Amino acid sequence: MAYRVDALGLAERGSDLPSDLPVLDLGVQEYTPGSARVALAARTSADLADARLITVWATRGAPHLHRRADLAALVQQLWPVSDADASVRIKSGQIPDAAKLGVEAFRVTAEAFREVVREPMLRGDVSTEVTKRVPAALTYECRSCRARHIAGTVWQHAGLAGGVEVQSRGRDAMLGPLPDAPPIPSANRGIDDLILTCLRLLGPAGPLEAGKYLGSSAAVLKTVWPEDRLAQVSVEGRKAWLPLDAVDDLRAASSPSGVRFVPPMDPLLQARDRDVLVPDREQQKEVWRILGNPGVLLVDGEVAGVWRAKMAGKKRVDLSVTLFRSLPGTRRKQVEQESAEVARARGVPEATVAFD
């Protein structure tokens, strides 16, 4: 945990611009509106507005903040390495025959995006037009609106290759064309570098954890596992790997001090070995819920509780904190002081904290 907290930039809040933070090598998921800004505020005291960042559908088809300069490499790294890889990523009960298309499902969907999204458009309008241009096997009948839609497992996975920027979310979500969009890949290039990035920030881990993080499988990841660039270590008797140049940092890691408000689905919480992150199974149920994950409170580099936020008008955000263990008054005071960073991320001058 100490290694990951440090590698992800949570040990100390510096003054780096958001796009210079190491966590942007992996991307920051925008789980709920504003959550990515909270993730940045936990890591830097700098202005959170950074024109070098952009939101795209990336890992697992989820919306992530990424550096614009990284997109040309990222689109190739995220392209399926094989038909088997593509089939795992888009597997869904809604579209049972889609897996047979393999990589072709990604290609035709990306091409449809390029034809459709030439200016900012409502997400629903994009879905309608893209659906008309892809094989029926990638679509399903939506009972609520009595129309056929392309499945989200396909179109969000193919969005980056399709040159799509996620401009806004919510009821009137907007998509737009990526400026200088990289071309649709002809094959995966750089999967080894992507695996190394995952392990450097979320390791030590193995093909199972990396596969789940990327939305693929252990079987697929084993076929491209860059063993010559990795060191094998042991985590509670389990084999795991780190990039060779990260082993010394693992050995030297020491528990950080202080508190941080970490938003839902922060990169720290994306590691798939949840028993390492939160050993208590009942507490795991509080952190990773079926719907509506809360954020977590880090105290000295360990998950000490969960939190939720509610806006109170336009000038205050109210934070409700549920602790997993008791905290002394001095620590609670630190938590209250740290809440100002959530207010900064939310663009309001004040935050309050209530402990459940």
Side-chain angles (χ1 to χ4, degrees), residues 63-76:
H64 281 71
L65 270 181
H66 274 282
R67 303 182 189 99
R68 294 175 187 269
D70 292 346
L71 297 185
L74 184 67
V75 68
Q76 297 186 73

Side-chain angles (χ1 to χ4, degrees), residues 74-86:
L74 184 67
V75 68
Q76 297 186 73
Q77 293 171 349
L78 290 176
W79 193 250
V81 300
S82 63
D83 286 334
D85 185 20

Side-chain angles (χ1 to χ4, degrees), residues 11-333:
E12 296 182 8
R13 180 183 288 106
S15 58
D16 288 346
L17 293 175
S19 58
D20 293 329
L21 294 171
V23 71
L24 265 298
D25 295 347
L26 198 63
V28 176
Q29 183 174 344
E30 179 77 350
Y31 179 67
T32 56
S35 63
R37 288 176 60 88
V38 177
L40 298 178
R43 294 167 166 85
T44 179
S45 59
D47 187 344
L48 301 179
D50 192 329
R52 292 180 294 173
L53 298 180
I54 191 169
T55 303
V56 294
W57 287 321
T59 308
R60 302 177 308 281
H64 281 71
L65 270 181
H66 274 282
R67 303 182 189 99
R68 294 175 187 269
D70 292 346
L71 297 185
L74 184 67
V75 68
Q76 297 186 73
Q77 293 171 349
L78 290 176
W79 193 250
V81 300
S82 63
D83 286 334
D85 185 20
S87 297
V88 171
R89 297 196 205 184
I90 65 177
K91 183 178 180 181
S92 168
Q94 285 182 331
I95 47 172
D97 296 326
K100 299 175 184 177
L101 294 175
V103 177
E104 181 69 4
F106 282 66
R107 186 187 63 78
V108 296
T109 304
E111 289 177 347
F113 270 125
R114 302 264 176 161
E115 291 180 15
V116 171
V117 185
R118 298 179 180 274
E119 62 183 5
M121 297 176 61
L122 288 169
R123 173 178 169 144
D125 293 342
V126 175
S127 174
T128 297
E129 292 304 316
V130 169
T131 299
K132 295 175 182 177
R133 291 165 168 80
V134 299
L138 302 180
T139 69
Y140 68 99
E141 194 70 32
C142 178
R143 294 180 180 178
S144 61
C145 55
R146 299 178 182 179
R148 292 197 71 83
H149 295 302
I150 182 169
T153 54
V154 180
W155 91 317
Q156 291 188 196
H157 271 291
L160 178 56
V164 172
E165 173 188 358
V166 181
Q167 296 184 338
S168 67
R169 301 177 65 203
R171 180 176 298 179
D172 297 324
M174 295 291 293
L175 305 177
L178 274 176
D180 302 316
I184 298 173
S186 58
N188 179 287
R189 292 181 179 85
I191 185 63
D192 51 344
D193 291 328
L194 184 57
I195 291 171
L196 287 167
T197 297
C198 291
L199 296 179
R200 175 166 54 83
L201 296 177
L202 300 179
L208 176 62
E209 293 80 21
K212 287 182 177 180
Y213 174 80
L214 295 173
S216 186
S217 68
V220 169
L221 267 290
K222 286 178 180 178
T223 66
V224 291
W225 199 245
E227 290 203 42
D228 59 333
R229 302 171 65 183
L230 299 173
Q232 183 177 309
V233 300
S234 176
V235 179
E236 298 179 346
R238 175 177 54 83
K239 290 181 180 179
W241 287 261
L242 269 181
L244 289 168
D245 59 3
V247 175
D248 288 345
D249 291 334
L250 177 66
R251 290 189 175 120
S254 59
S255 298
S257 61
V259 301
R260 292 285 186 276
F261 281 97
V262 176
M265 304 304 284
D266 184 272
L268 176 69
L269 303 176
Q270 297 284 13
R272 291 322 200 242
D273 49 358
R274 292 178 174 177
D275 287 343
V276 172
L277 295 167
V278 182
D280 185 278
R281 293 296 177 90
E282 291 304 311
Q283 293 174 3
Q284 287 181 17
K285 294 176 183 178
E286 294 299 314
V287 174
W288 296 284
R289 305 179 70 87
I290 296 175
L291 291 173
N293 288 346
V296 303
L297 178 69
L298 285 184
V299 177
D300 298 339
E302 297 289 343
V303 176
V306 297
W307 64 276
R308 297 183 184 277
K310 183 177 181 180
M311 295 298 295
K314 297 181 178 180
K315 294 186 177 182
R316 194 180 79 231
V317 59
D318 295 331
L319 307 181
S320 175
V321 177
T322 301
L323 296 172
F324 292 159
R325 61 177 186 271
S326 62
L327 290 180
T330 54
R331 285 298 196 196
R332 291 189 177 220
K333 187 65 175 178

